[in-house]
Structures are given as structure tokens and as C-alpha cells.
């Protein structure tokens, strides 16, 4: 097994871990403002790790440049989408969760 | 290895689907649908690597674009009541 393959598998494992952790966070957090936190950061970094692993596996070629374009695009758009979401939720008058409210 | 990664991502998408179905407000549903769309982009790229078809990356790029536009459009319609 080549060294670059091992490094790419390492990146893929870290990306899988981050994506599963982000999913558990989206399920477990109590309200929409705290759910944005895993969806905006952990998910973005998880997909970036998986794409970087694929880039290292592929080597320098046209395919890896396409992968880099997808990574940059999602790094820009995913936090923008969550920012628009928290703006809309705040404009609609959604109250943040406080200690003692029920978790749903 | 790519098969295992794709399986784990499908499992994570099923976990997030719980929030789409149950979510109390519309914002929870939009957030979870956006997260599922991001996972789908990764899944399409991985399927392209599993079957050794690099053209799937173009589909992944277009899917990321549609995902972003759909989220912004739903939120704008929810906030303002119109889309123009």
C-alpha cells in the first residue's frame, strides 16, 4: 500500500467521524439556534476532509482540481446558508431555548 | 474503503432525516434538508470514485449549487412571502 493511500484513508476516516458527529448534534441539540452550530461548522469541515482525502488519493490531475472547486464552493455556501437561516428565524421571532424548557 | 465511507454517510443522512420529520419549526426542517444535501454531494463524488467515473463530479458540483439555491429560496419565501 502506497503512503498517499494511507494518508487519504486517514482523511476519509476523520471526515466520516465529523459528519456522524454533526448528525448526532443536529438530532440532540435543543433548539434551532444551537442546531445551526454543528450544521454550519462540523458538517462543512467533514465534507472538506472527505474531498481532501479523495484529492490525495487521486493525485494531481483535472479530477482533483474539480474536487478543490467543490470544496471551495461548499466552504463559501454552507455557512452563508446557515447565516441566512438564523436571520430568517430571528426575524420570525423565534425564542432561544432556556434551561427548564422541554427539549424537542 | 470508499464503500465503507459511503455506507457511513448514508447512515448519517438517515440520522438527520429524523430531524426533517420531527422538527418543531420550519427552520429545523430546512436546516436538516440542507445537511442532507451536503451529504448527498459527498455521496455522489464517492460513487464516482467507486465506479471509476469522474464525470460524476460535475453532477456533484451542480447538486451543491441547487442545494444552496433551494435553501436560500425557501428562506426568502418564508421571510418575505414572495420571491421576486
Amino acid at each position: 500500500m502506497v503512503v498517499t493511500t494511507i494518508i487519504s484513508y486517514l482523511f476519509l476516516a476523520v471526515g466520516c467521524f465529523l459528519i456522524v458527529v454533526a448528525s448526532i448534534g443536529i438530532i440532540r441539540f435543543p433548539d434551532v439556534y444551537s442546531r445551526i452550530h454543528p450544521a454550519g461548522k462540523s458538517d462543512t469541515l467533514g465534507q472538506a476532509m472527505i474531498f481532501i482525502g479523495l484529492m490525495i488519493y487521486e493525485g494531481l490531475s483535472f479530477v482533483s482540481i474539480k474536487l478543490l472547486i467543490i470544496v471551495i464552493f461548499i466552504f463559501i455556501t454552507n455557512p452563508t446558508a446557515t447565516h441566512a437561516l438564523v436571520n430568517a428565524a430571528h426575524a420570525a421571532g423565534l425564542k432561544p431555548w432556556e434551561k427548564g424548557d422541554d427539549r424537542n | 474503503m470508499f464503500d465503507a465511507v459511503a455506507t457511513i454517510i448514508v447512515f448519517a443522512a438517515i440520522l438527520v432525516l429524523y430531524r426533517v420529520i420531527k422538527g418543531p419549526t420550519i427552520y429545523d426542517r430546512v436546516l436538516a434538508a440542507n445537511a442532507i444535501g451536503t451529504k448527498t454531494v459527498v455521496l455522489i463524488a464517492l460513487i464516482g470514485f467507486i465506479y471509476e467515473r469522474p464525470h460524476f463530479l460535475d453532477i456533484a458540483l451542480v447538486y451543491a449549487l441547487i442545494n444552496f439555491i433551494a435553501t436560500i429560496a425557501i428562506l426568502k419565501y418564508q421571510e418575505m412571502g414572495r420571491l421576486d
Side-chain angles (χ1 to χ4, degrees):
Chain A
M1 198 183 275
V2 199
V3 177
T4 56
T5 312
I6 297 172
I7 296 173
S8 78
Y9 284 180
L10 210 66
F11 271 95
L12 288 178
V14 172
C16 277
F17 173 73
L18 283 172
I19 281 183
V20 170
V21 164
S23 304
I24 294 172
I26 290 174
I27 290 178
R28 286 283 298 161
F29 274 127
D31 75 332
V32 66
Y33 296 110
S34 49
R35 272 173 213 139
I36 283 167
H37 175 243
K41 293 193 275 197
S42 187
D43 222 11
T44 312
L45 189 64
Q47 65 84 22
M49 283 294 169
I50 286 183
F51 279 126
I52 288 170
L54 293 179
M55 277 165 62
I56 293 172
Y57 182 85
E58 175 68 25
L60 188 62
S61 71
F62 194 61
V63 171
S64 61
I65 292 173
K66 268 184 198 168
L67 286 168
L68 185 67
I69 290 172
I70 296 177
V71 168
I72 293 170
F73 186 76
I74 294 185
F75 246 86
I76 295 170
T77 58
N78 213 0
T80 310
T82 48
H83 183 231
L85 200 140
V86 76
N87 263 343
H90 187 252
L94 215 63
K95 288 273 179 290
W97 178 79
E98 287 177 6
K99 199 169 181 183
D101 300 354
D102 54 338
R103 310 168 64 96
N104 42 16
Chain B
M1 181 67 183
F2 293 147
D3 313 15
V5 175
T7 311
I8 291 171
I9 287 171
V10 169
F11 173 70
I14 290 170
L15 281 182
V16 177
L17 199 60
Y18 170 81
R19 187 51 70 193
V20 177
I21 294 167
K22 187 167 177 294
T25 64
I26 186 176
Y27 305 105
D28 296 297
R29 294 176 211 268
V30 173
L31 177 74
N34 189 27
I36 289 180
T38 310
K39 287 169 183 52
T40 309
V41 173
V42 179
L43 198 63
I44 291 171
L46 278 170
I47 286 171
F49 267 78
I50 289 170
Y51 292 111
E52 293 176 349
R53 287 186 177 175
H55 311 293
F56 271 55
L57 291 178
D58 300 334
I59 303 174
L61 189 55
V62 172
Y63 199 94
L65 230 156
I66 290 173
N67 187 25
F68 176 62
I69 297 291
T71 306
I72 295 294
I74 291 171
L75 290 174
K76 188 174 176 187
Y77 184 71
Q78 176 67 24
E79 195 176 344
M80 302 186 181
R82 57 192 170 78
L83 277 179
D84 53 348

